[in-house]
Structures are given as structure tokens and as C-alpha cells.
């Protein structure tokens, strides 16, 4: 309270002093401009100057406030548009996932105008147009996507190629992907799409050239890459046979293709069997003999042993002896026994052939061994036993026959024939 009284007293004294100063020393201010003059006391001039300064300050503050409000309004409106675009894009994505192509495209295009990433809107709108079968609009939106982002060329090309692949337009997809392939290190997905396009075209030579890049960039899992390699080399080996047949010069292209294959694939059992089968078909029995013997020394393969029975050499006795040498290590191999039966037949050792066929039959009853037994028994004059083996082989081959209400007597006779 005392401080307040003291301040009031000081203010009163200051006011009295100022009033006295004004009365005793009023001062004089003259402002002349052209033919106009303004005269006033110093103190009035000071008051007017302060008021003028205050008015100028308030005017500037008001103008700044107006401009600031205008920017805030524009920012608020822009934010509203961006939020609305985000909501439309969100709804469009949901519609696309649900398979509602027309609403999805409409919502995505409406959201693209004020979207922060219109590229996404146009790309998915293009996919929706593809689903609707509207190719022209698909290309239109892909073009709009490329224009919306100068760095999105690869993304647009990949989307375009993927849609062409789905439409089985393989040649056009290859043309698009070859342009995008220039930077495959950064975009390995290009190589995967390119391999799919070559598969669609059945361009095995192009796939062969692509395999090293697929392996280098680890585009496919190891098992899928191996499966693709098998498929490529299978087709190329078979194509080599056609080339050799046209040239009529023996299986030279087949040999060259086989030797050019990677070593691990030449050890692959499926490809090895295919190669041996093609050699036999092309009449290169000596080559098939060498290949089978070399492979079986490294690792036993029953299917290769079976194929040895199709090899026809000038010395069937030596061939039979070679196959019998394998029997010591594999006495119960049904495929080897089947092979030995065929070789014995070729050497006209009918009893020995029958023993081998029956031994194979005991190990595994297959349609093939039943057929061999059937025709040998028929040649030996055992018609009933031959017919039983043929019938059994046929029933084994046709395992998917439906159940039918056959006459009971016929069934009993068939069973009796099989027992004989």
C-alpha cells in the first residue's frame, strides 16, 4: 500500500513538473512546405509525432495481419484438399483390392489432382483399366503416371510389362522390358518379368542367355532357378535332335549342346536320362553306352540301368556281361533285372531272359515287365500265361478304371487266369 502511495505521489509530482515546464518553456515548431506553413508549440508537435508514429505502426500491423490471414486461409484450404485426396486414394485402394475396378479407378483419379504422390493413383488406375479391358485408358493413365514423376520411368515400364504379360502379349512385354533392362542391377525384378516373357514365347535361346544374370542378381530362389535351367536345357536338347535330323549328319548338335552345359547340370539325373534317351533315339548307341557306364561308375541310377537295355551294340555278349557285373552290387534292382532280361533276349538266351524278367516281376509288378514277360511267353508258346501277363499289365497301367458291376463269372475266370 505504501509503495502504491509513493508511486502515485511521484507521478503527481512528475505531472506538475511537466505542466510547469510546458507553461514556462512552450517552445516553437514551424513546418513549411511550399506555400503552406504549420506553426505549433514544441510539446504539441511531440504529441502529434507520437500519434502519427502510432498510427503508422498500427497500419503496418493491420496490413501484415491481413496478408497472414490470407496465407493461413489458403493453407487451410490446401490442407483440406490434400486430406480429401488422401481419403479418396484410400477408398480407391480398398475398392481395387476388393475387385471393384470401376469405383476404384474413379476414386483414384479424383484423388490424383491434389495427392502428394499422384504416381500411385495413376498406376493403380491403369491396372483397374486393364481389368476392365480398356487398353486405351490403361495407356493413358500410364502416360499420366510417367508425366507426374520424371524419375518414375522404370516403375511405369515395369507396370506396363506386367500388364502385357498378364494379357499374354509376350512380344510387346519383351520390347518394354528390354528398355528397362539397362539398369537391371537396381531393378532385378525386370529380369524375372523378362524370363516369364521368354517362357511365354518359348524362346529357349534367349532364356539361356538370361540365366547368368538371373543367377548373378539372385532373382529366383535356388530351387526355382534349377527347375528353370532344367526346363531350358531340356527344350534345347530336344531342339538339337530336330536340327540334327534336318542336317542328316548324326547327333553332332546334340553332342555340342550337351558339352556346352554346366558340369552340375550334366550330372543332373533327369537331364542325363533325357540325353541318353535322345542318343538312343538318334542311333548313337556307342555314345549312349559310354555315357551310361561313366555315369553309373559315379553314382548308381536304376533308370539309367533300364535305358541300358535299349542300347544295341555289335557285341551283345559283352554288353550282357557288363550288365551282369552290376548285378553283384544291386541284385534286387527291378530295373536292372528288366535290362538283363532284354539283353539276354537280344543274345537269344530265352531261359535266362525269362529268369531275369520273372525276378524283376517279383521285385516290382510294373506294366512294362508284364508286357516283356507276356511277349516272351507268347514267343515260347505259353499262350495262357502270356495272356495273363498282358492282362495284368493292362490293368496295372489303367489304375483309374471305374468300378463296374461286371458278371461274377467273368471276374472269377479272370482271377483264375491270373493265378495260372
Amino acid at each position: 500500500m505504501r509503495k502504491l502511495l509513493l508511486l502515485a505521489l511521484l507521478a503527481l509530482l512528475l505531472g506538475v513538473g511537466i505542466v510547469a515546464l510546458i507553461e514556462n518553456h512552450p517552445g516553437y515548431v514551424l513546418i513549411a512546405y511550399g506555400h503552406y506553413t504549420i506553426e505549433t508549440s514544441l510539446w504539441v508537435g511531440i504529441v502529434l509525432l507520437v500519434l502519427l508514429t502510432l498510427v503508422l505502426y498500427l497500419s503496418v500491423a493491420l496490413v501484415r495481419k491481413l496478408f497472414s490471414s490470407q496465407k493461413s486461409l489458403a493453407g487451410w484450404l490446401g490442407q483440406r484438399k490434400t486430406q480429401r485426396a488422401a481419403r479418396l486414394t484410400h477408398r480407391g485402394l480398398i475398392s481395387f483390392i476388393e475387385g471393384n475396378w470401376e469405383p476404384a479407378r474413379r476414386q483414384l483419379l479424383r484423388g490424383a489432382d491434389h495427392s502428394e504422390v499422384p504416381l500411385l493413383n495413376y498406376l493403380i488406375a491403369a491396372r483397374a483399366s486393364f481389368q476392365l479391358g480398356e487398353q486405351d485408358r490403361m495407356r493413358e493413365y500410364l502416360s499420366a503416371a510417367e508425366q507426374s514423376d520424371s524419375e518414375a520411368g522404370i516403375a511405369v515400364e515395369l507396370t506396363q510389362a506386367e500388364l502385357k504379360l498378364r494379357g499374354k502379349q509376350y512380344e510387346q512385354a519383351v520390347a518394354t522390358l528390354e528398355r528397362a533392362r539397362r539398369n537391371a542391377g537396381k531393378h532385378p525384378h525386370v529380369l524375372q518379368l523378362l524370363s516369364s516373357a521368354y517362357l511365354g514365347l518359348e524362346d529357349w535361346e534367349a532364356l539361356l542367355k538370361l540365366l547368368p544374370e538371373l543367377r548373378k542378381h539372385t532373382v529366383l530362389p535356388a530351387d526355382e532357378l534349377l527347375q528353370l535351367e532344367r526346363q531350358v536345357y531340356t527344350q534345347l536338347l530336344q531342339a538339337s535332335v530336330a536340327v540334327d535330323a534336318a542336317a542328316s549328319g548324326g547327333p553332332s548338335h546334340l553332342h555340342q549342346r550337351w558339352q556346352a552345359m554346366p558340369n552340375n547340370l550334366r550330372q543332373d539325373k533327369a537331364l542325363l536320362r533325357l540325353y541318353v534317351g535322345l542318343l538312343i533315339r538318334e542311333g548313337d548307341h556307342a555314345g549312349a553306352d559310354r555315357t551310361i557306364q561313366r555315369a553309373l561308375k559315379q553314382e548308381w541310377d536304376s533308370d539309367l540301368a533300364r535305358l541300358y537295355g535299349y542300347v544295341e551294340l555289335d557285341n551283345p555278349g559283352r554288353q550282357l556281361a557288363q550288365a551282369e557285373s552290376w548285378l553283384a552290387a544291386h541284385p534286387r534292382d527291378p530295373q536292372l533285372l528288366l535290362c538283363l532280361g532284354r539283353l539276354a533276349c537280344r543274345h537269344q538266351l530265352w531261359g535266362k531272359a525269362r529268369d531275369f524278367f520273372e525276378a524283376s516281376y517279383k521285385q516290382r509288378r510294373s506294366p512294362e515287365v508284364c508286357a516283356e514277360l507276356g511277349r516272351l511267353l507268347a514267343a515260347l508258346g505259353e499262350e495262357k500265361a502270356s495272356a495273363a501277363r498282358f492282362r495284368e499289365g493292362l490293368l496295372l497301367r489303367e489304375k483309374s478304371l471305374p468300378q463296374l458291376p461286371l458278371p461274377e463269372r467273368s471276374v472269377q475266370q479272370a482271377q483264375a487266369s491270373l493265378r495260372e
Side-chain angles (χ1 to χ4, degrees):
M1 189 66 180
R2 291 180 180 180
K3 290 182 179 181
L4 185 60
L5 290 174
L6 181 60
L7 288 174
L9 180 60
L10 289 174
L12 182 60
L13 292 175
L14 182 61
V16 171
I18 291 174
V19 170
L21 183 63
I22 292 173
E23 288 180 351
N24 295 325
H25 304 282
Y28 180 74
V29 174
L30 173 65
I31 300 175
Y33 180 78
H35 299 291
Y36 300 97
T37 59
I38 298 176
E39 298 181 15
T40 184
S41 65
L42 174 64
W43 303 104
V44 173
I46 291 173
V47 171
L48 290 175
L49 181 61
V50 170
L51 289 175
L52 179 62
T53 303
L54 183 60
V55 169
L56 287 174
Y57 174 79
L58 292 174
S59 299
V60 171
L62 179 61
V63 171
R64 290 181 63 185
K65 185 69 174 177
L66 288 174
F67 276 106
S68 176
S69 299
Q70 205 169 31
K71 289 181 180 179
S72 298
L73 179 61
W76 180 76
L77 291 174
Q79 187 177 9
R80 285 281 301 251
K81 290 179 179 179
T82 302
Q83 291 175 349
R84 183 170 179 271
R87 287 195 298 271
L88 285 169
T89 301
H90 180 70
R91 292 174 190 166
L93 290 173
I94 293 175
S95 297
F96 182 83
I97 293 171
E98 292 175 348
N100 299 320
W101 315 121
E102 183 62 42
R105 183 175 64 182
R106 183 175 61 253
Q107 292 162 348
L108 289 164
L109 293 176
R110 288 174 60 193
D113 294 336
H114 300 284
S115 174
E116 295 180 353
V117 282
L119 171 69
L120 177 65
N121 295 59
Y122 288 125
L123 287 179
I124 301 181
R127 290 178 178 273
S129 299
F130 172 81
Q131 296 291 345
L132 292 168
E134 300 178 7
Q135 300 295 323
D136 292 338
R137 299 189 72 175
M138 179 194 77
R139 287 189 286 270
E140 176 187 346
Y141 300 139
L142 287 174
S143 177
E146 191 168 11
Q147 293 173 7
S148 69
D149 190 340
S150 59
E151 299 180 358
I154 296 294
V156 173
E157 288 178 339
L158 288 178
T159 302
Q160 187 176 14
E162 187 177 343
L163 294 178
K164 287 177 178 178
L165 281 174
R166 293 174 63 182
K168 297 185 179 181
Q169 300 173 347
Y170 299 117
E171 291 183 357
Q172 297 178 23
V174 167
T176 301
L177 290 167
E178 286 292 353
R179 294 195 301 269
R181 189 181 177 182
R182 57 187 176 268
N183 199 6
K186 291 185 179 179
H187 307 284
H189 186 54
V190 172
L191 300 176
Q192 185 174 4
L193 293 177
L194 197 56
S195 67
S196 299
Y198 286 144
L199 277 173
L201 291 172
E202 296 185 356
D203 192 341
W204 309 112
E205 291 289 351
L207 269 170
L208 179 63
K209 296 176 182 177
L210 190 64
L211 285 175
E213 287 190 77
L214 293 174
R215 187 180 300 105
K216 176 183 177 182
H217 297 293
T218 320
V219 175
L220 298 174
D223 55 340
E224 290 185 22
L225 181 60
L226 178 59
Q227 183 178 356
L228 179 61
E229 288 177 323
R230 284 174 178 163
Q231 185 177 4
V232 169
Y233 282 109
T234 295
Q235 296 297 330
L236 290 174
L237 287 171
Q238 293 175 344
S240 298
V241 172
V243 173
D244 289 329
S248 301
S252 58
H253 287 87
L254 179 60
H255 287 308
Q256 292 173 7
R257 182 67 74 183
W258 178 257
Q259 293 302 323
M261 285 172 54
N263 185 59
N264 67 308
L265 290 175
R266 280 191 281 129
Q267 305 298 322
D268 184 84
K269 290 184 177 181
L271 289 173
L272 188 58
R273 294 168 198 153
L274 172 66
Y275 176 60
V276 169
L278 292 174
L279 286 175
I280 295 170
R281 196 173 84 184
E282 292 302 296
D284 187 2
H285 293 275
D289 174 45
R290 289 192 301 270
T291 303
I292 291 174
Q293 291 198 47
R294 186 166 52 247
L296 293 183
K297 283 180 182 178
Q298 296 177 357
E299 184 180 3
W300 179 255
D301 183 8
S302 294
D303 291 317
L304 274 181
R306 169 186 169 275
L307 286 174
Y308 195 63
Y310 288 87
V311 176
E312 298 179 8
L313 299 179
D314 295 335
N315 189 345
R318 183 185 65 80
Q319 186 180 1
L320 178 59
Q322 175 61 58
E324 286 180 325
S325 69
W326 298 330
L327 194 60
H330 310 281
R332 295 185 178 181
D333 191 315
Q335 301 283 46
L336 176 58
L337 292 168
L338 178 62
C339 165
L340 284 165
R342 285 168 170 160
L343 295 178
C345 278
R346 194 168 293 135
H347 204 47
Q348 298 184 8
L349 301 175
W350 315 122
K352 201 170 189 179
R354 181 172 184 171
D355 291 340
F356 283 131
F357 284 144
E358 289 180 345
S360 177
Y361 175 82
K362 289 178 181 178
Q363 295 300 322
R364 188 175 67 188
R365 297 186 180 187
S366 67
E368 189 175 15
V369 72
C370 286
E372 290 291 13
L373 256 178
R375 65 175 182 168
L376 177 60
L377 291 172
L380 294 175
E382 301 182 26
E383 299 294 340
K384 294 182 80 174
S386 171
R389 294 288 84 79
F390 277 130
R391 186 161 47 247
E392 183 180 4
L394 183 60
L395 291 173
L396 286 172
R397 185 178 296 275
E398 300 297 333
K399 293 181 179 179
S400 60
L401 292 175
Q403 293 292 332
L404 296 175
L406 298 175
E408 185 177 351
R409 183 179 176 184
S410 298
V411 173
Q412 291 174 350
Q413 288 178 344
Q415 292 175 346
S417 298
L418 287 176
R419 284 195 296 270
E420 292 176 2

